[in-house]
Amino acid sequence: MTTTTTELTGSGAAPGAAPARVAKRRNGGGLGTYLLIRFLLIIPTVFILVTTVFFLMRSTGDPITAALGGRLTGEQLAERVREAGYDRPLLVQYFEYLGNVFTGDFGTAISDNRPITEMLTTFGAATLELVFYALIVAFLVGIPLGRLAAYLRDRWPDAVLRVFAIVCYATPVFFFGMLLKLVFAVNLGWLPVAGRASTGADIQLQQLDGSTGIYLIDAIRLGDGEVIADVLEHAVLPAIALGLLTAGIFLRLVRTNVIGTLGMGYVEAARSRGVAERRLLKKHAYRPALIPIITVIGLQVALLLSGAVLTETTFEWKGLGFQLTEYIEARDFVAVQGIVVLLAVIVAVTNFIVDVIAALIDPRVRY
Amino acid sequence: ACGGGDDGGGGDSGGGGGTLTIGTTDKVTTLDPAGSYDNGSFAVMNQVFPFLMNTPPGSPDVEPDIAESAEFTAPTQYTVTLKPGLKWANGNDLTSSDVKFTFDRQVAIADENGPSSLLGNLDSVETPDDTTVVFNLKSENDQTFPQILSSPAGPIVDEDVFSATELTPDQEIVDGNAFHGQYVITNYDLNNLVSYEAYPDYQGLLGEPKTAQVNVKYYADASNLKLDIQEGNIDVAWRSLSATDIEDLRGNDEVNVVDGPGGEIRYIVFNFNTQPYGAATPEADPAKALAVRQAVAHLIDREELAEQVYKGTYTPLYSFVPEGLTGATEPLREKYGDGEGGPDAEKAAQVLEAAGVQTPVQLSLQYSNDHYGPSSGDEYALIKDQLESDGLFAVDLQTTEWVQYSEQRTEDVYPAYQLGWFPDYSDADNYLTPFFRAENFLGNHYENPQVDQLIAQQVATPDPAERTALIEQIQDLVADDLSTVPYLQGAQVAVTGADVEGAEDTLDPSFKFRYGALSKG
Amino acid sequence: MSTATSSEVAPAPAPAPRADRGWKTLPLVRQVRQSVGLQRGMLVAGLVLSALFLLVAIFAPLLAPYEYNQLRDPSGAFGAQQEPSSAHWLGTTVGGYDVLSRVIWGSRTALYVIVVALLLSFFVGVLLGLVSGYFGGWLDRVLVVLCDAVYAFPSLLLAIVVAIAISGGESSLWGGIMAAAIAITVVFIPQYFRVVRAETVRIKSEAFVESAKVIGASHRRIMFRHVLRNATRTLPLILTLNASEAVSTLAALGFLGFGIEPTAAAEWGYDLKRALADVSSGIWWTSVFPGLAIVLVVLGLTLVGESLNDLADPRLRTRRRAVVTPADVAETTVVPGGALGAGPGGLGGLQDRDDGRRFAQ
Amino acid sequence: MSAGNPVVGIENLSVSFATDIGTVDAVRDVSLGVAAGEVLAIVGESGSGKTVTARSILGLLPETALTRGAILLNSKDGGSTHDVVTLRGARLGEVRGRDAAMVFQEPSTALNPVFPVGWQIAEGLRAHGKYSKREAREKAIDVLRRVGIPDPEHRVDHYPHQFSGGQKQRIVIAQALVLDPGVIIADEPTTALDVTVQAEILDLLRRCRDEFGAAIVLITHNMGVVADLADRVAVMYQGRIVEQADVRSLFSAPQEPYTQQLLAAVPRLGRGVARTRERAAARPAGWQEATPVVSARDLRIVYPGRLRQPDFVAVDGVSFDIRPGEVLGLVGESGSGKTTIGRAIAGLTKVTGGSLQVLGTEMNGVREKAFRPVRERIGFVFQDPASSFNPLLTIAEAVAEPLVVHRRARDARAARPRVDELLEQVQLPKAFGDRYPHELSGGQRQRASLARSLALEPALLIADEPTSALDVSVQARVLELFDELQREHGFAALFISHDLAVVDLLADRIAVLYKGRLVEEGTGAEVLGAPRHPYTQRLLASLPVPHPDEQARRRALWEQLRAADGG
Ligand SMILES: Nc1ncnc2c1ncn2[C@@H]1O[C@H](COP(=O)(O)OP(=O)(O)OP(=O)(O)O)[C@@H](O)[C@H]1O
Ligand SMILES: Nc1ncnc2c1ncn2[C@@H]1O[C@H](COP(=O)(O)OP(=O)(O)OP(=O)(O)O)[C@@H](O)[C@H]1O
Ligand SMILES: [Mg+2]
Ligand SMILES: [Mg+2]
């Protein structure tokens, strides 16, 4: 929810951003070097985030008191805090945590004893599935409409589309989700209220050998048409809620960048040679706009995850974001910290991948 | 498992063939009894693990479950005899060795989320033979011990599946089929979906379950649970529906709302040192301090709190031991307010005036906004409003995150503050010992030697009638002192589809929701 | 009419940055005047919504029929979840408050949070960006990596973490506002940092900064007299966009339970969270109004911000069409989507051109 | 006027733009004709409407433009005539590129960075007919070869960034040529290029006409280019055509006062010789021995490479002196290191090797603190007058900055009398002090810039291409002013320019820089009259002079040189 608009500012600057990076890369030698350095940059990023999150979370006190404070007497509590090592100097704990994180151990939730890394596999798949659906919606809605808006620039359909885009990200996901549920699940009864599958389907999916956790894949492997339909039905509303949020941003992003490239000399040059307007839009302006679009879309991953937290909560989509709010509610700060750091790693890695894709698309870098 | 699609699409309302789907907002921490001490986990354990003692439907008191008999064979010796030939669902024998294993490991693991603290009075466990277990206790005649055997510390586990020294992962328990209860778990997806199947060899107190197959769906958001029960997607909705939802569902013909007494209570704690005129304040004066507490008790309108904030999902509480438990009385109803449960501003004013307290009394009142549900804010806004509306109090209402709250409340930071209590087992003692003995968990500097002595006495009184009398006397005494002012008692509410029966049988003061009691017509 | 009348007169003076042409050059007024057609429509719509928000926030005590934490009036308690009526135009909430009053008072809370968050992040971000961009070196590199890391982080999560860290204390009105504001600040600082730093780096290599250096001006003088004010020109638009973001972040925090308690202040996200359960029971008024309030405020502020962005960006700005008299219509050449960039000979004054460079390549 | 039928006929064209500040009339009542195979040059100062006229031929004006009049385009075969002003949509697309094609000023922006050049060339073909992929590719390769791209079979798949600036412009021209248009409109096709590259592009354009039979509309403000290529010239001023004539008569006998003025303002090689001699004569004895103001010995400036990239040596082993009161002109093509040297002297770029003495201070390893007092005695005039002023300060405040910084005045207000004096010296009205930079024209701004640099009475002035952003006529006046001020104040100066003629006009001595090395140094007469280094020779030969006959001779010489190079 929150990065929304600033990304947009970013998007204004985006067409500049990519070439600037390109320039840097070209100074920096080959693509290989660039990718290596870009990859190494993940480390400080993650390091900074781990550090920030650790100290912020621990500034409130130790997680045991947070989770169990109410139930135990002071002595019992102190005993447990001591056992878990939370009474040692913060720095000692920090370095220990750091060491653990770099060996892939993100800790274990206090409230239910689950290793955080295990959550990546159990809930990560659900989040991945949701994000995947949402991206489909976002791409299907945002990109064509963005192009349309750029094409019909400054006419009324453009204004309508832009207001639509803004409304998409001005509406809090939880509010929008609630309205969707009310209309489509309760009043019309077309779609299920929440969850990833109905009970029967859920049981079948779970008992499937070697289930991936991605229900759609599992359902297809199961080969039961009804289960597939059931899984898809459950995905519709969350995908729309999260997808439209992102679609609004994509729309705006595509519009801005395509208008930007439409004004570039090379489009003008192609126009001067009689290339038709439609083709200018579809090829000459769109392709170059794609590079900054992809770069900024990469930054949207962060936003998408923020949105996913709220969407998953609204629709009981049991993914990482859902789990995060659960742990927040339980004040299980070890788990919160673990998931947050996990998400940070995901974001850092995704951004890296997106940058690589952008670099590969950009011929200035590829050659 | 491809035979699915029994009643296809999205509306698989429990399915035919004796399947029941229950929705809940509870959360499971872990299946391992040593690692969890919460309602959600305990609810699962109640279906699938055997207990030595258990509460029969409709009563708060305990009886042998998989035991044939259980009794004090000496003041510090509690002997339980198991039924012969018990078997775990995986075929292992269920013997006294499992029982010893269970309690030894509870104590050994002492997990921070676990209930091992309940076993504080347990010294050692002996197994003279395969069916006999002897519990050696530290204090004599502990009348709560049978209750403890039915509490979260009590589920017996299979020593061949569980680890003696650490928590056993849920999946191992499920894979090991280490169950012996009305049900066994056939499919387990933590906090999402759990499927149960009746266990044919269960021979305990509860008998054969009425429904052979039960699925439990876990919800995080009560409104989703509500929508699903309303849409008929599930058969039973259990726990934590919001007050609004329940009220709405009451008006819905397609579902039944079933109420039962709840064990959860809410109360205001006074810190005897820092409350107005408290012992550590400059103008310390025990009489005035008592007058302030009494004025609060006079002014609180429990009816309004229960109705406006909780829409009847909580009920007014006029005692320290909630209604439904053996020995519960309502001393506060007569002693304070209009004598019929309502508030009385007049009396409050008189009390204060008689003690020479200047009004309005400045009272700092603290509550936690994140521990007792989202309605705490409304609850305390209303209490503040009630205390202030006659000009007797000026309340400085503050809220704190639970982490700090739980630290600061025992550090004498809060003169008066909110707390809630959910019992470990359904015995009146669980509402007395933790609160009113000299060294209590409230840490509010309340001390009444007589009360202290009486509490100690009732625990060790084997005769039920005698004990009940003592408990009543304690309540009366505390009602005079007002160490705390209890005001609400949670109700258990289950919502069932119109064709589901049996919910009322299990909504009893044992606070154990047993799926086996439910059936679908 | 300034087409070169003599070769020594500037081709098309852009409006002066200072108000030497009176009110017409005041920031927003200037943009409204600059805009045309639908772009102006959107800007004005955004301004109206934002102004409405501001007015409601400022005059909340006068507008709201009750206090935000009022549960009863002389005629008795309001009661919870009462339907809209003449006494409570928008009904009452689950906690028994008047919805209209809470919506109105909520604007004030939102405004407080916006103001505090923006002030904090503005000063910290701008200062850091300026120093970092100007001096470069290892500090700059560290700050850039730091800010990039924070920037790439899901901002809501960060806000949650910060809120957890801060709200450990009591959540009085200001405690709550500060918690939300600081949480938002932490998310915003990198944004200001990035923008100001990028601008500073760009301006640092501009000839006028070099000329100040050649003259021998001290770093401080260059930074504050020459770089700072030029580097902060795009900030108004970021400010508006961030303001809207602050509102949604505040709402999201409130929704997730890091809000301000109802007795301390009215907060839309909190009210919405509390109202979620109502919706399924047919009680729509408790959620729809705070929800709408959020949507409208964010919409208004975003419209303003985006319009400012478009106006500052020569590629995106709509220009007035040639004045067409009916007789001329047949002769008008319209190239769909065609646009002459504001090249050296184009109309853009210095100011527009600079922006153009920033947003273009 | 040549005999062929006109391929373009512009009749009473007027164009106006709607802008924030009202309607701007860019072109007023222009009538022009271009005959087949003819090169028509449109000249005029900046903003006179050249580009707008050219663009309107292709209907490439933005929506804010209102066009009146008629523009008749004849197809090359003479088969059809269209009035571009009334054409819309697809019909307009048909005409564009086929009847008239455009070559843009900036080759780097006219090429799409993400498509191979061959594809971009083929796009034009695709818009005007059916071609298979192979056919289009063959045609692209063919046209690339014809515009002189080596190894076109291979290069056709390359992306724009893989070509040099000159090659890019060739590709842009190829894009126009492949459609075989009746007329090519070239809007300042060489302004972004070095003189030596410019000569080659002009040569290519000539071949366009000769080999492809295209008429050319050439827009430029370089009179040398006009003399080199044009058959006929139209002079624009304030949106109108003030004079039209064939190239010889225009240069030999301009009719309109404006044209005369314009031609007079063009700097010509060799004019400075007399002046230099005169100045040299006026110098006191012993001047030769005076300590140089600037003295460079084996100066080496390296830009550190980033990320394992090799360092870039921008200036390599350069030695020169500037004596008091002397003007040293520094020329060289783009990227040769001129600016770098100027900046090093002003302490803006670090010296990495050798020695550079500036007013007695060694710049190699100098500390900013130690150098600050020296700054007082150095003035600097930047290339772009638009960006060298803080847009938020008034001219007076900006000019007062050096005075305030060096505590000659408490603040800008207190410095005002001195500022007014300075403005007067550069012939600006005092009232201009209260204006903001953007409210001044380029020439005025550059004057103000001079005023600022002179505020502290410097002993050394560094001028980095101070006139390259200005129109010829404006440039002439600024140069004149510079000369006057230099005489008056007697400062030593480093005058950087890429225009030999300009340097010749002002400098006592000229230094030629080539790829970071000083290849030649001497008086104007020595360097321009008898260049010794082949690069200087080539540079001189590629410089078009504003005289058609003279230029024809020089072109012959250049072609010789080039042939020799090639062989
Ligand atoms: N898109 C536009 N909107 C408004 N005015 C414009 C636009 N394009 C050009 N003009 C104005 O029209 C006039 C003529 O501009 P034009 O670009 O034709 O000049 P030019 O002769 O090509 O100058 P230069 O030598 O600088 O390229 C100028 O005053 C310019 O400001
Ligand atoms: N900051 C820098 N970092 C790296 N390389 C640089 C930097 N500045 C200039 N260069 C390189 O140094 C070389 C000389 O640049 P310089 O600006 O001195 O050339 P110039 O002769 O002034 O050219 P022009 O006529 O285009 O102004 C160029 O190749 C340029 O790319
Ligand atoms: Mg031009
Ligand atoms: Mg230069």
Side-chain angles (χ1 to χ4, degrees), chain C residues 284-303:
Chain C
W284 51 271
W285 57 90
T286 50
S287 56
V288 165
F289 297 110
L292 271 185
I294 297 172
V295 174
L296 288 180
V297 171
V298 175
L299 180 66
L301 290 168
T302 312
L303 276 174

Side-chain angles (χ1 to χ4, degrees), chain D residues 338-339 383 464-465 496:
Chain D
K338 308 182 295 289
T339 299
Q383 168 172 9
D464 188 0
E465 314 221 14
I496 298 171

Side-chain angles (χ1 to χ4, degrees), chain A residues 2 5-6 8 12 16 56 60 153-155 162 169 174 178 182 252 260 302 306 324-325 328 340 343-344 347, chain C residues 38 152-153 155-157 164-165 191 241-242 245 249 256 272 276 279 306 309-310 315-318 359-360:
Chain A
T2 40
T5 39
T6 327
L8 300 173
L56 280 176
T60 39
R153 182 185 172 188
D154 295 330
R155 321 236 177 111
R162 296 186 61 196
Y169 48 74
F174 44 88
M178 182 194 82
L182 204 63
R252 146 105 195 172
S306 287
L324 180 71
T325 42
I328 286 175
V340 166
L343 289 176
V347 170
Chain C
L38 290 169
F153 197 66
S155 58
L156 181 61
L157 298 193
I164 290 177
Q191 298 175 7
L241 290 178
N242 277 356
E245 210 178 304
T249 307
L256 289 175
L272 207 49
L276 276 191
V279 176
E306 289 203 358
N309 186 26
D310 290 1
R315 298 172 312 159
L316 297 178
R317 203 169 115 203
T318 324
F359 286 103

Side-chain angles (χ1 to χ4, degrees), chain C:
Chain C
M1 283 300 102
S2 52
T3 332
T5 39
S6 114
S7 59
E8 293 246 321
V9 163
R18 283 200 193 161
D20 54 11
R21 285 187 189 84
W23 62 273
K24 289 181 179 177
T25 57
L26 289 174
L28 286 169
V29 179
R30 185 166 77 90
Q31 268 99 0
V32 172
R33 291 172 51 80
Q34 210 179 22
S35 58
V36 294
L38 290 169
Q39 216 164 49
R40 174 181 277 184
M42 288 171 73
L43 175 59
V44 171
L47 283 175
V48 168
L49 283 173
S50 309
L52 205 66
F53 163 61
L54 260 180
L55 290 177
V56 169
I58 292 169
F59 297 109
L62 301 178
L63 294 171
Y66 306 101
E67 291 292 310
Y68 53 83
N69 57 359
Q70 196 173 339
L71 286 170
R72 65 183 82 224
D73 60 8
S75 57
F78 297 160
Q81 296 169 320
Q82 299 301 306
E83 280 192 39
S85 65
S86 58
H88 304 284
W89 291 359
L90 307 183
T92 62
T93 72
V94 62
Y97 303 108
D98 179 57
V99 173
L100 177 62
S101 305
R102 294 216 25 114
V103 168
I104 291 176
W105 282 101
S107 65
R108 187 165 256 221
T109 312
L111 185 64
Y112 284 145
V113 170
I114 290 176
V115 170
V116 176
L118 293 193
L119 278 183
L120 287 178
S121 47
F122 184 83
F123 282 113
V124 178
V126 168
L127 205 70
L128 279 183
L130 188 65
V131 170
S132 179
Y134 185 79
F135 287 110
W138 66 266
L139 178 76
D140 179 47
R141 259 168 261 155
V142 169
L143 281 175
V144 166
V145 173
L146 189 79
C147 284
D148 276 359
V150 174
Y151 187 71
F153 197 66
S155 58
L156 181 61
L157 298 193
L158 195 63
I160 290 173
V161 172
V162 177
I164 290 177
I166 291 168
S167 66
E170 275 105 74
S171 46
S172 57
L173 168 63
W174 281 106
I177 286 175
M178 288 311 283
I182 290 175
I184 294 166
T185 300
V186 171
V187 176
F188 284 176
I189 286 177
Q191 298 175 7
Y192 289 93
F193 173 84
R194 280 164 68 114
V195 171
V196 172
R197 182 187 167 278
E199 279 287 85
T200 304
V201 167
R202 179 181 71 80
I203 290 168
K204 197 173 74 165
S205 61
E206 290 263 315
F208 71 85
V209 173
E210 301 227 303
S211 89
K213 222 181 268 173
V214 168
I215 285 165
S218 66
H219 289 312
R220 259 186 56 171
R221 189 176 173 87
I222 295 178
M223 253 173 22
F224 289 100
R225 187 167 168 85
H226 296 290
V227 178
L228 179 60
R229 283 198 46 213
N230 285 296
T232 49
R233 276 183 322 184
T234 44
L235 290 187
L237 87 92
I238 300 177
L239 278 173
T240 30
L241 290 178
N242 277 356
S244 71
E245 210 178 304
V247 174
S248 24
T249 307
L250 176 68
L253 283 178
F255 178 76
L256 289 175
F258 296 100
I260 301 166
E261 285 301 293
T263 40
E267 201 266 295
W268 296 330
Y270 174 89
D271 283 358
L272 207 49
K273 176 195 178 73
R274 296 300 318 284
L276 276 191
D278 299 351
V279 176
S280 51
S281 306
I283 299 170
W284 51 271
W285 57 90
T286 50
S287 56
V288 165
F289 297 110
L292 271 185
I294 297 172
V295 174
L296 288 180
V297 171
V298 175
L299 180 66
L301 290 168
T302 312
L303 276 174
V304 174
E306 289 203 358
S307 303
L308 291 183
N309 186 26
D310 290 1
L311 287 173
D313 187 341
R315 298 172 312 159
L316 297 178
R317 203 169 115 203
T318 324
R319 301 215 167 77
R320 201 168 277 113
R321 297 218 184 169
V323 193
V324 183
T325 54
D328 288 330
V329 173
E331 298 175 300
T332 315
T333 302
V334 175
V335 182
L340 263 183
L347 89 155
L350 173 66
Q351 191 164 9
D352 290 342
R353 235 187 296 158
D354 282 351
D355 291 342
R357 198 175 320 152
R358 173 160 50 276
F359 286 103
Q361 292 288 315

Side-chain angles (χ1 to χ4, degrees), chain D residues 107-295:
Chain D
S108 47
T109 60
L111 290 171
N112 197 324
V114 301
F115 291 108
V117 294
W119 185 90
Q120 298 190 47
I121 293 172
E123 272 296 281
L125 292 170
R126 215 168 286 137
H128 292 284
K130 286 239 169 293
Y131 291 89
S132 72
K133 262 207 159 84
R134 261 188 71 144
E135 281 168 347
R137 187 183 160 88
E138 309 254 275
K139 286 204 78 143
I141 293 173
D142 180 55
V143 75
L144 281 178
R145 181 178 298 113
R146 288 173 70 179
V147 297
I149 300 288
D151 190 16
E153 290 83 359
H154 181 219
R155 301 284 275 178
V156 69
D157 293 323
H158 282 192
Y159 289 85
H161 71 270
Q162 292 165 293
F163 294 89
S164 76
Q167 284 176 321
K168 275 188 233 174
Q169 194 60 303
R170 283 171 195 271
I171 293 166
V172 172
I173 293 172
Q175 286 183 320
L177 283 178
V178 77
L179 298 174
D180 195 20
V183 56
I184 293 176
I185 298 151
D187 189 354
E188 317 220 7
T190 59
T191 314
L193 305 172
D194 272 326
V195 215
T196 42
V197 184
Q198 163 174 298
E200 308 206 342
I201 296 297
L202 290 178
D203 188 51
L204 174 60
L205 281 175
R206 187 171 299 106
R207 279 180 30 225
C208 289
R209 181 192 52 186
D210 298 346
E211 292 176 21
F212 293 79
I216 293 175
V217 175
L218 176 72
I219 292 167
T220 181
H221 40 226
N222 186 331
M223 285 302 177
V225 171
V226 175
D228 186 64
L229 195 59
D231 298 319
R232 210 151 51 78
V233 186
V235 182
M236 285 192 79
Y237 178 59
Q238 289 188 22
R240 295 177 202 283
I241 296 205
V242 291
E243 185 165 0
Q244 260 192 86
D246 77 278
V247 67
R248 277 199 180 69
S249 37
L250 187 96
F251 275 95
S252 55
Q255 298 299 309
E256 290 294 315
Y258 174 71
T259 318
Q260 293 163 357
Q261 210 186 316
L262 193 66
L263 283 173
V266 178
R268 280 156 217 259
L269 274 183
R271 279 210 196 147
V273 177
R275 176 186 162 280
T276 314
R277 219 177 280 129
E278 173 199 327
R279 283 166 54 96
R283 291 207 166 98
W287 173 81
Q288 286 281 347
E289 277 71 47
T291 356
V293 181
V294 177
S295 169

